[in-house]
Amino acid sequence: MSKPNVIVIGGGLGGLWATLRIAHAGFPVELFSLFEVKRSHSVCAQGGINAVLDSKGQHDSIRQHIIDTVKGGEYLANQPPVKAMCEDAPGLIRTFERMGVTFSRTSEGLLDQRLFGGVKNKRTCFAGASTGQQLLYGVDQQVRRLESEDKVVKHEWWEFLSLLLDADGVCRGIVAMDLKSLEVRAFAADAIVVASGGMGQLYAPKSTTSTNSTGAAASRCYRQGAWMANAEFFQFHPTAMMGHDKNRLMSEAARGEGGRIWVPKTPGDRRPPKTIPESERFYFLEEFFPAYGNTVARDEAARAIWTVTRQMGLGIGGDGGDRVYLDLTHLDAAFIGARLGAILEIYRKFAGVDPMTEPMEIFPAAHYGMGGLWVDFERSADGGIQPDSPRNHATNIPGLYACGECDYAYHGANRLGANSLLSASYSGRIAGESVVSYLKGLASDGASLAPEIPQAEVARQQAINADLMRADGADTPYLIQKELGALMTAKVGVVRSNPELESAVGELQVLRDRLRNARLGESSTWSNQSLAFARQLGDMIELAGVVARGALARDECRGAHYKPAFRIPIPEGKFAGDPEFETYRARWHANNAQWLKTTIAEHTEDGPRLSYQEVDLSVYPPTEPRDYR
Amino acid sequence: MTEQPIHLRIRRQDRPDSAPYWQEFAIPGRSDHNIVSLLMALRENPVTVSGQRVDPVVWEHNCMEEVCGACALLINGVPRPSCSALVAELEQPIRLEPLPKFPVVRDLLVDRRRIDQGLKQVKAWIKIDGVWDTHEGAPRIGPSEWAANYLYSRCMSCGCCMAACPQFGTDSDFLGPAPLAQVRLMNAHPTGRYDKTERLHAIMADGGLSDCGNAQNCVRVCPKEIPLTTAIGELGRQTTVQLLKDIFGPR
């Protein structure tokens, strides 16, 4: 038998880390990516990557990092993987540093660290304002080196279409399409790693993610039997600048430095903002949250903006008036220029408007998926995960692994700031190690895939292409995606209600039917982007159904999933010991007993079948509600 | 914000080996578009000014925050990322062409694999023993040295510098500015320095540093304002020293 080989799907931080770890163990890797891997969405993360180095005299501890992660995620993350990730973070940073990542430095030439949202200590390593880009380039360079040594083969501009499963349901390869020639071909492999990123495009254009973050690859695995977990948890960032193509983040720092959010008091007031007198402006965050004002927490700010625009009809801008002003014009120009230079530049560059003289127009944007493909772990004796266990990051399909934003581990109900780059890198490395163990455990006379299976699957995929090319309906896939994004934003967004979610589930079915009869508008057999996009869109609608159904079933407020009808508010001005607070605590515990569990979605022809799994709370049991007062 | 239609002239090409042709479009929309969002609007309803329905325009885009490097085009004759090219700041009709010097795949989509090959040729990486934790960090790097290096680490391989370079092209084997600048970056790293000689030899060979004609176009078009010509100057000094070492150094 020849040496076992591995296919990695996706070339962001997760995929490249997995590739490196597997190739370094001596197994050949074929890496598939929709585009040159250097263009992956990982490059967009700016803020930084968390790791406790305790370099700032604050007695920071890994234990505290674990607690911040667990609490930030409203206890929904399995705790052994979180513990292992936080413990490994410093070692990961050291590895990145050895790769030549240009981390920002202290005057002593050591790694600098800064403060990030949700934590009290300086724990975030950063590389200027482009940390994701620098980390990705670090691993990209290492992969290129292995490629030059023939240990890795890259298939860029190839799209993963489906898994090849043998008669026992074991993953034995993939079918993929060359995005230039549209050739559909089967590739055999002994293990597959999916690292295909997030699914922010379900909310396009009101999403901060790259246009290729469709979630299609994960959805394709789901359709073939891989479980999705916690898909209903999707983090929204309150202040993103609007674009026709996407939303771009405006850092929380803009409010931290004195930026004020407002809308005109009169609905439909179309006067230029600077001409609207102070008395006719509604500074709603300052009125809703007198204690915090504009610096209220991310999720609260996003919901308040939602209330004002969607429910009170006070939003500004076209498209249903869903924006609000983020105003810096009252602040000292020199001060703002020095403190917020990078943000001002982005706004000027992409909106063509100077935020020092005109208020910015912002909107809460879909930002990061907490849920994704379900993955396993093996708990170790010390409460972390067992090193080199083939169960770590394994999906429920044997031989199929998942890592990065497309898996569901580490974040729980809500992601802690600067933990995304950490989890992508860490999970990639662990998935790689796990795959190596899996390959070593494979029987040496491992049965190969019966040739009919790939042949039939290639033919099936070619038939899908041919059908799409022939279809001549009323809508183009691009128009349908626009409607999908609008529907998800309106009804499966920041604030959710059961009637709206129910209607969303129905409307998704309509979109699916319309897509079946869509018209590509072209029949070229060379680089037909509409064809690839139409295929992805079908998978996106499927995934949107999982998000909506999961949200409909979950009757509570937890992290990124907010249903006001089931809210259990903390009694104002009451703290532990007060009878009112204790009543609240009892209700919180009762709610946990019912809802502190992982949503599992299994594909069926009639839509997702939902079930629930216990969460491993062995490291830091939930005795205290999350309370940031 | 104007509500006038936006005029586009797009150079199209159906296949790598077919002849290019031009098409004109008038896209209704406000002028707060960028080129990517304009092309997105166009693909929803690709009809030319003469009313002909045509295939949607093919182009590459991904992050749209000017950090992935995918969407670079020739816009009114200038190579630049199309996400940060705002319609309001461009003269109309806006001319869109594929990034020159790279083989056209289709329409505005080009194959920039040569950048990747260049990076391999110059060994633009730090040799590390493995991607596990060795329980050692890298040696210290002072803040000013960091600041100089950081500039070069922002290169996103968009290819604008290569497109603007008169020496780089299909008939020349010149590496181009982007891979050269990475030699400057890798050679400055405390561990990368160990392989400095190898990298310098790579750029002293054919298609290397000496092919640079010092036209300075690269630095003028770089969207990330990377001091490419400074890098090339520094590499000139490094290769001169290397040449002397090669001649007089210990065998």
Side-chain angles (χ1 to χ4, degrees):
Chain A
M1 178 182 148
S2 61
K3 196 158 214 180
N5 71 313
V6 181
I7 283 174
V8 174
I9 298 158
L13 265 181
L16 294 179
W17 261 105
T19 299
L20 288 175
R21 195 63 188 84
I22 296 163
H24 271 294
F27 295 101
V29 181
E30 288 181 87
L31 176 58
F32 286 75
S33 170
L34 298 172
F35 36 77
E36 292 159 307
V37 297
K38 227 181 174 179
R39 325 261 179 231
S40 302
H41 182 57
S42 302
V43 296
C44 285
Q46 300 175 340
I49 176 167
N50 285 338
V52 172
L53 306 178
D54 191 29
S55 60
K56 296 289 180 187
Q58 296 177 312
H59 309 289
D60 197 11
S61 70
I62 288 171
R63 174 83 184 161
Q64 194 56 48
H65 187 187
I66 297 167
I67 293 172
D68 290 341
T69 304
V70 165
K71 279 184 121 173
E74 299 244 31
Y75 295 97
L76 201 61
N78 284 311
Q79 295 178 0
V82 168
K83 176 175 188 283
M85 174 180 81
C86 296
E87 287 171 350
D88 263 22
L92 261 174
I93 298 294
R94 287 194 290 268
T95 313
F96 272 126
E97 196 192 2
R98 283 163 48 223
M99 289 177 186
V101 170
T102 49
F103 284 117
S104 295
R105 302 283 160 168
T106 66
S107 58
E108 295 174 58
L110 296 171
L111 295 174
D112 201 359
Q113 294 203 290
R114 67 179 167 199
L115 197 61
F116 224 76
V119 298
K120 290 189 183 127
N121 295 329
K122 291 184 179 172
R123 188 188 291 157
T124 304
C125 295
F126 59 104
S130 61
T131 315
Q133 185 186 24
Q134 305 310 326
L135 296 183
L136 185 87
Y137 291 179
V139 279
D140 173 59
Q141 286 153 13
Q142 296 302 318
V143 168
R144 192 170 290 107
R145 176 180 156 214
L146 291 173
E147 209 189 354
S148 73
E149 296 169 5
D150 296 323
K151 291 171 179 163
V152 171
V153 175
K154 273 191 213 150
H155 299 276
E156 288 171 329
W157 292 1
W158 274 82
E159 177 154 14
F160 159 74
L161 297 181
S162 62
L163 302 167
L164 290 171
L165 305 176
D166 69 12
D168 300 324
V170 178
C171 196
R172 299 275 187 189
I174 64 166
V175 167
M177 174 164 71
D178 181 338
L179 292 173
K180 290 178 189 160
S181 69
L182 307 188
E183 178 200 2
V184 176
R185 205 203 297 175
F187 296 83
D190 298 283
I192 316 290
V193 181
V194 201
S196 53
M199 49 173 159
Q201 285 297 303
L202 297 185
Y203 292 88
K206 288 174 173 112
S207 157
T208 63
T209 66
S210 296
T211 45
N212 283 292
S213 301
T214 61
S219 180
R220 287 163 191 172
C221 296
Y222 163 74
R223 282 189 192 217
Q224 288 185 273
W227 300 339
M228 290 294 295
N230 292 339
E232 63 268 33
F233 292 94
F234 208 97
Q235 191 178 58
F236 297 83
H237 195 287
T239 59
M241 64 177 276
M242 301 295 301
H244 293 285
D245 45 356
K246 74 174 286 188
N247 285 3
R248 300 176 176 90
L249 275 194
M250 281 295 112
S251 161
E252 243 157 356
R255 286 179 291 135
E257 301 292 359
R260 297 177 82 186
I261 288 189
W262 61 277
V263 287
K265 280 184 177 164
T266 320
D269 189 336
R270 286 180 180 269
R271 286 176 290 172
K274 293 285 276 179
T275 66
I276 299 176
E278 196 73 4
S279 60
E280 293 173 40
R281 298 176 179 189
F282 180 22
Y283 291 97
F284 54 93
L285 290 182
E286 297 165 37
E287 286 196 24
F288 293 170
F289 310 98
Y292 290 87
N294 290 290
T295 55
V296 71
R298 266 188 199 189
D299 51 343
E300 296 285 7
R303 283 171 211 139
I305 294 168
W306 196 264
T307 309
V308 162
T309 57
R310 300 262 166 167
Q311 282 156 20
M312 300 169 71
L314 290 174
I316 50 136
D319 312 329
D322 52 16
R323 317 178 188 187
V324 300
Y325 290 121
L326 170 55
D327 199 342
L328 301 177
T329 58
H330 57 287
L331 299 169
D332 178 68
F335 169 78
I336 284 303
R339 300 294 286 263
L340 298 172
I343 308 177
L344 302 182
E345 194 194 314
I346 288 179
Y347 199 85
R348 269 190 220 113
K349 205 159 194 172
F350 286 95
V353 172
D354 188 349
M356 308 255 252
T357 56
E358 291 271 335
M360 299 186 269
E361 295 184 13
I362 56 107
F363 179 84
H367 185 45
Y368 194 98
M370 306 294 116
L373 291 166
W374 177 89
V375 289
D376 199 5
F377 63 91
E378 183 179 345
R379 190 162 66 194
S380 63
D382 70 350
I385 62 171
Q386 186 62 39
D388 299 320
S389 164
R391 278 176 55 194
N392 298 331
H393 279 275
T395 69
N396 58 306
I397 296 178
L400 180 68
Y401 289 77
C403 61
E405 192 178 335
C406 78
D407 85 48
Y408 90 112
Y410 309 106
H411 303 310
N414 200 19
R415 180 175 60 80
L416 186 70
N419 258 8
S420 62
L421 291 174
L422 173 62
S423 62
S425 309
Y426 173 74
S427 67
R429 183 158 82 175
I430 292 299
E433 285 174 5
S434 190
V435 162
V436 169
S437 303
Y438 173 79
L439 294 178
K440 286 177 178 166
L442 283 181
S444 58
D445 58 344
S448 59
L449 195 61
E452 307 84 67
I453 293 177
Q455 281 164 16
E457 183 56 19
V458 167
R460 193 177 75 88
Q461 294 295 343
Q462 284 167 336
I464 295 174
N465 286 354
D467 284 348
L468 280 168
M469 294 264 210
R470 267 196 302 271
D472 195 24
D475 308 301
T476 70
Y478 300 112
L479 278 168
I480 296 175
Q481 190 210 8
K482 228 176 166 176
E483 292 187 37
L484 172 68
L487 168 66
M488 291 299 286
T489 305
K491 295 187 174 169
V492 198
V494 177
V495 175
R496 298 160 176 191
S497 76
N498 284 344
E500 284 200 324
L501 289 167
E502 265 166 39
S503 113
V505 168
E507 285 176 57
L508 285 169
Q509 188 56 47
V510 175
L511 286 184
R512 183 178 300 140
D513 295 338
R514 278 171 54 196
L515 180 64
R516 215 164 279 146
N517 293 306
R519 139 178 72 82
L520 291 191
E522 67 167 319
S523 56
S524 171
T525 53
W526 177 257
S527 287
N528 188 330
Q529 291 181 332
S530 309
L531 171 73
F533 184 73
R535 297 190 61 128
Q536 290 167 2
L537 185 55
D539 297 298
M540 290 164 73
I541 294 173
E542 186 77 25
L543 215 47
V546 179
V547 176
R549 290 283 196 99
L552 180 58
R554 186 175 279 273
D555 280 338
E556 67 157 350
C557 295
R558 187 178 295 272
H561 168 71
Y562 187 79
K563 259 188 199 173
F566 300 91
R567 188 164 160 253
I568 307 173
I570 302 181
E572 250 175 76
K574 307 292 178 191
F575 294 88
D578 188 287
E580 258 188 78
F581 188 90
E582 293 310 323
T583 309
Y584 156 75
R585 192 203 298 268
R587 287 183 68 198
W588 181 77
H589 278 296
N591 181 66
N592 277 345
Q594 193 184 356
W595 285 114
L596 178 43
K597 51 193 182 181
T598 302
T599 307
I600 305 285
E602 266 179 276
H603 174 75
T604 76
E605 284 310 314
D606 306 321
R609 181 169 50 226
L610 301 181
S611 60
Y612 296 91
Q613 254 185 9
E614 288 305 307
V615 179
D616 188 324
L617 303 165
S618 55
V619 179
Y620 186 73
T623 51
E624 289 298 322
R626 191 177 156 203
D627 185 355
Y628 287 131
R629 289 179 299 176
Chain B
M1 298 297 156
T2 61
E3 299 277 348
Q4 299 290 322
I6 299 155
H7 286 270
L8 276 183
R9 292 196 72 215
I10 302 180
R11 196 175 103 131
R12 308 202 57 175
Q13 186 171 331
D14 299 338
R15 286 181 169 266
D17 50 1
S18 63
Y21 55 94
W22 288 86
Q23 280 178 344
E24 275 190 54
F25 301 92
I27 301 160
R30 310 191 320 177
S31 58
D32 61 345
H33 271 286
N34 59 44
I35 294 298
V36 178
S37 68
L38 203 58
L39 287 170
M40 283 177 154
L42 176 63
R43 72 183 179 182
E44 287 172 19
N45 190 28
V47 176
T48 65
V49 280
S50 51
Q52 187 195 359
R53 183 167 288 280
V54 295
D55 286 354
V57 177
V58 169
W59 87 107
E60 199 179 5
H61 53 90
N62 202 12
C63 80
M64 300 184 301
E65 297 191 1
E66 209 190 60
V67 64
C68 82
C71 67
L73 301 177
L74 202 62
I75 301 169
N76 285 349
V78 181
R80 56 186 296 192
S82 47
C83 63
S84 55
L86 304 183
V87 167
E89 292 164 7
L90 292 166
E91 200 176 311
Q92 293 191 31
I94 301 166
R95 266 181 304 130
L96 301 183
E97 297 169 77
L99 211 55
K101 314 289 176 70
F102 297 102
V104 174
V105 176
R106 186 178 164 188
D107 293 341
L108 303 173
L109 180 69
V110 296
D111 185 344
R112 283 172 281 192
R113 215 174 309 171
R114 259 186 79 186
I115 305 178
D116 197 41
Q117 282 161 359
L119 292 171
K120 275 184 205 149
Q121 216 172 315
V122 302
K123 301 182 192 299
W125 51 68
I126 310 289
K127 263 190 219 161
I128 62 171
D129 186 46
V131 290
W132 37 81
D133 185 11
T134 57
H135 309 283
E136 292 267 340
R140 295 182 181 201
I141 295 172
S144 60
E145 198 183 341
W146 171 81
N149 295 342
Y150 179 71
L151 296 174
Y152 297 103
S153 68
R154 298 219 62 203
C155 171
M156 53 189 183
S157 300
C158 62
C160 289
C161 61
M162 324 270 267
C165 171
Q167 308 308 122
F168 178 82
T170 39
D171 299 328
S172 129
D173 57 5
F174 180 44
L175 279 167
L180 285 175
Q182 292 305 296
V183 175
R184 148 72 181 80
L185 175 65
M186 298 298 151
N187 283 2
H189 188 270
T191 317
R193 225 167 259 162
Y194 299 160
D195 298 306
K196 189 174 175 182
T197 306
E198 233 181 318
R199 278 187 217 102
L200 290 178
H201 282 158
I203 63 166
M204 286 155 76
D206 286 348
L209 193 67
S210 58
D211 286 15
C212 167
N214 201 23
Q216 309 266 344
N217 287 6
C218 55
V219 75
R220 276 193 285 268
V221 299
C222 176
K224 293 288 145 190
E225 295 171 1
I226 297 169
L228 294 158
T229 45
T230 311
I232 289 170
E234 281 182 41
L235 290 172
R237 287 190 289 281
Q238 289 185 21
T239 48
T240 307
V241 173
Q242 187 60 44
L243 194 67
L244 294 171
K245 274 193 196 161
D246 290 345
I247 296 169
F248 300 111
R251 299 277 154 177

